[in-house]
């Protein structure tokens, strides 16, 4: 009887069954990689930039510089969740994204075309936006009010960063023109750098009594953290733990090393001694320059890009310093460094120089024209949008502290605390 009883079950197994759709699952390794890279970029933004800005400020305003940095990071993070992510990446038009992901609604379990959940992509993209906004905060060191900066930063994010990121990374009009930016040379570094130029000109120069940084060692420590943290910026844009990620991190490091040594060598030639702070300045210039092409060029190309960026930035720093009071050199290192990297990308992407080459029938001249268009559009919009945002916030609260508050020091005048016991 047993074979007879088993027959219905055998027939059921042999009967064609309804097919169940396979549900794609996120790759746990790639997801962990994206989250790690996001944390590295936040490391660059919070302790890294906080220390760098504190070192570039006066002894009586260092705590204020760090408070502004953290306030900017907090405000921008919330604005990112509320609207910025959606306006960059939700379906929209060539100029701005849509409203489908406001308050991070409707996030997909798996980001389309990727192996990670959309929430991991949101986190990584947020870290880049926070870093860019914290760079802009360096424009008002020693003279800007913390409350003003905390109000300004989310507006800057929505008015300046969001359109630029959508145009380039969100399928906007610059992407349609073929503008290339692998990991933020244009969107993060150049955009923030030219925003800083605009804001420093609006804020004016610091009082003579507070016109020099008090702790270069803090600036160097912060720069080292930025160097480490921005490895996550280029590695994360590979969107997974892949060969492209390792290549991007290697090239980022090579560019930073070449920039550091190149700047020190130029210091030695031009002034007779190699400034210790020049090493970190050169490294940051190289990092900003390589961001646009980190996974697209060869190791030799990365070294030359870093060296060229350091030489360009070192060459113009005196000229810019006479016209804009930028204590942490953000415009020169990130704005000009990013610009140099974006324009050098079409040359060093060529296979004969170790790069991956262009897709399709793109020529070097076409690519260069696209890059120049991207640089011009982003630089002009960053400066104009920053000025508009500054004007709007200044209608509610003055940007600049009073002369008496600057003389006293912003730590005590604005926060009732001091970075150091200087009595």
């Amino acid at each position: 009887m047993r074979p007879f009883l088993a027959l219905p079950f055998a027939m059921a197994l042999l009967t064609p069954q309804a097919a169940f759709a396979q549900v794609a699952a996120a790759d746990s390794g790639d997801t962990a990689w994206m989250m790690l890279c996001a944390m590295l970029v936040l490391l660059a933004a919070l302790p890294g930039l906080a220390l760098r800005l504190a070192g570039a400020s006066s002894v009586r305003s260092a705590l204020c510089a760090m408070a502004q940095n953290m306030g900017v990071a907090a405000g921008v993070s919330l604005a990112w969740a509320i609207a910025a992510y959606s306006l960059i990446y939700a379906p929209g038009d060539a100029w701005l994204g849509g409203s489908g992901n406001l308050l991070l609604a409707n996030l997909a379990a798996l980001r389309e075309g990727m192996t990670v959940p959309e929430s991991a992509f949101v986190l990584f993209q947020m870290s880049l936006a926070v870093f860019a906004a914290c760079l802009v905060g360096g424009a008002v060191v020693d003279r800007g009010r913390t409350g003003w900066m905390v109000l300004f930063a989310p507006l800057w994010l929505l008015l300046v960063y969001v359109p630029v990121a959508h145009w380039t990374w969100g399928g906007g009009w610059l992407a349609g023109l073929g503008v290339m930016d692998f990991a933020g040379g244009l969107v993060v570094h150049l955009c923030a750098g030219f925003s800083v130029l605009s804001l420093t000109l609006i804020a004016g120069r610091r009082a003579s009594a507070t016109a020099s940084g008090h702790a270069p060692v803090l600036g160097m420590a912060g720069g080292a953290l930025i160097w480490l943290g921005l490895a996550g910026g280029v590695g994360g844009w590979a969107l997974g733990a892949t060969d492209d990620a390792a290549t991007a991190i290697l090239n980022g490091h090579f560019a930073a090393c070449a920039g550091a040594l190149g700047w020190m060598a130029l210091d030695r030639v031009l002034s007779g001694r190699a400034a210790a702070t020049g090493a970190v300045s050169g490294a940051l210039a190289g990092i900003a320059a390589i961001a646009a092409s980190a996974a697209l060029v060869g190791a030799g190309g990365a070294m030359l890009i870093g060296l060229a960026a350091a030489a360009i930035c070192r060459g113009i720093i005196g000229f810019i310093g006479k016209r804009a009071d930028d204590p942490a050199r953000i415009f020169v290192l990130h704005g000009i460094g990013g610009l140099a990297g974006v324009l050098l990308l079409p040359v060093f992407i060529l296979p004969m120089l170790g790069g991956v080459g262009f897709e399709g029938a793109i020529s070097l001249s076409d690519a260069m024209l696209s890059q120049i268009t991207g640089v011009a559009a982003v630089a002009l919009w960053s400066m104009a949008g920053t000025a508009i945002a500054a004007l709007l916030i200044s209608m509610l609260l003055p940007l600049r502290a009073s002369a008496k508050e600057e003389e006293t020091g912003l730590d005590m005048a604005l926060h009732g605390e001091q970075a150091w016991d200087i009595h």
Side-chain angles (χ1 to χ4, degrees):
M1 292 294 292
R2 288 181 181 177
F4 179 79
L5 291 174
L7 184 60
F9 298 100
M11 293 298 294
L13 291 173
L14 294 173
T15 302
Q17 303 293 312
F20 291 95
Q22 295 294 316
V23 178
D27 183 278
S28 60
D30 288 344
T31 303
W33 174 251
M34 290 288 287
M35 292 190 292
L36 172 62
C37 287
M39 293 300 102
L40 284 172
V41 178
L42 290 176
L43 180 77
L46 288 165
L49 270 172
L51 286 170
R52 184 156 177 78
L53 297 179
S57 70
S58 72
V59 69
R60 290 181 170 84
S61 297
L63 187 64
C64 180
M66 299 187 81
Q68 287 182 9
N69 178 267
M70 294 185 180
V72 165
V76 164
S77 296
L78 297 181
W80 179 262
I82 293 168
Y85 175 76
S86 184
L87 294 175
I88 296 172
Y89 288 107
D93 56 31
W95 298 96
L96 203 61
S99 60
N101 299 123
L102 294 178
L103 283 170
L104 301 186
N106 306 312
L107 296 184
L110 191 67
R111 172 79 180 175
E112 185 177 357
M114 300 181 192
T115 59
V116 300
E118 190 166 11
S119 56
F121 182 72
V122 170
L123 174 64
F124 175 69
Q125 292 295 320
M126 182 193 73
S127 70
L128 295 172
V130 168
F131 180 79
C134 288
L135 279 175
V136 176
V140 297
V141 164
D142 278 337
R143 57 215 190 272
R145 293 181 178 276
T146 302
W148 189 94
M149 198 64 222
V150 170
L151 290 175
F152 167 82
L155 182 59
W156 175 86
L157 177 78
L158 297 173
L159 193 60
V160 177
Y161 184 88
V162 161
V164 169
H166 178 74
W167 299 344
T168 310
W169 289 337
W173 69 277
L174 288 181
L177 289 177
V179 174
M180 294 176 284
D181 182 15
F182 176 74
L186 185 69
V187 176
V188 176
H189 296 280
L190 188 146
C191 176
F194 277 83
S195 294
V196 165
L197 176 61
S198 180
L199 196 53
T200 55
L201 295 174
I202 293 169
R205 303 191 73 85
R206 291 170 290 173
S208 59
T210 61
S212 61
H214 82 286
V217 68
L218 291 182
M220 291 192 70
L225 284 172
I226 295 170
W227 183 342
L228 170 65
L230 289 187
V234 295
W237 255 116
L239 305 175
T242 64
D243 176 61
D244 281 346
T247 298
I249 292 175
L250 278 171
N251 284 341
H253 186 66
F254 295 151
C257 293
L261 295 177
W263 191 295
M264 293 178 74
L266 281 171
D267 269 352
R268 184 73 173 82
V269 170
L270 297 175
S271 64
R273 63 182 66 181
T277 54
V280 74
S281 293
L284 294 180
I287 288 168
I290 198 61
S293 60
L296 309 177
V297 299
M303 295 175 195
L304 290 173
I305 288 173
L307 184 62
I312 292 168
C313 293
R314 176 63 179 83
I316 69 170
I317 201 161
F319 175 81
I320 297 297
K322 296 176 181 177
R323 289 156 180 81
D325 188 0
D326 180 13
R329 299 175 173 176
I330 291 169
F331 168 64
V332 172
L333 301 182
H334 297 272
I336 301 300
L339 183 153
V342 171
L343 295 183
L344 288 171
L345 185 158
V347 175
F348 287 98
I349 201 176
L350 295 173
M352 65 189 318
L353 296 177
V356 300
F358 298 114
E359 293 183 1
I362 300 173
S363 67
L364 176 60
S365 59
D366 289 340
M368 186 62 74
L369 181 60
S370 295
Q371 297 301 91
I372 292 171
T373 302
V375 164
V378 171
L380 290 173
W381 178 245
S382 297
M383 295 187 70
T386 298
I388 293 169
L391 176 62
L392 292 174
I393 299 301
S394 294
M395 295 171 67
L396 303 175
L397 188 71
L399 159 60
R400 185 143 185 171
S402 68
K404 182 174 178 57
E405 288 171 331
E406 287 188 55
E407 183 180 356
T408 302
L410 300 189
D411 288 357
M412 188 58 68
L414 300 183
H415 301 286
E417 301 172 287
Q418 292 186 156
W420 315 105
D421 182 2
I422 56 177
H423 293 295

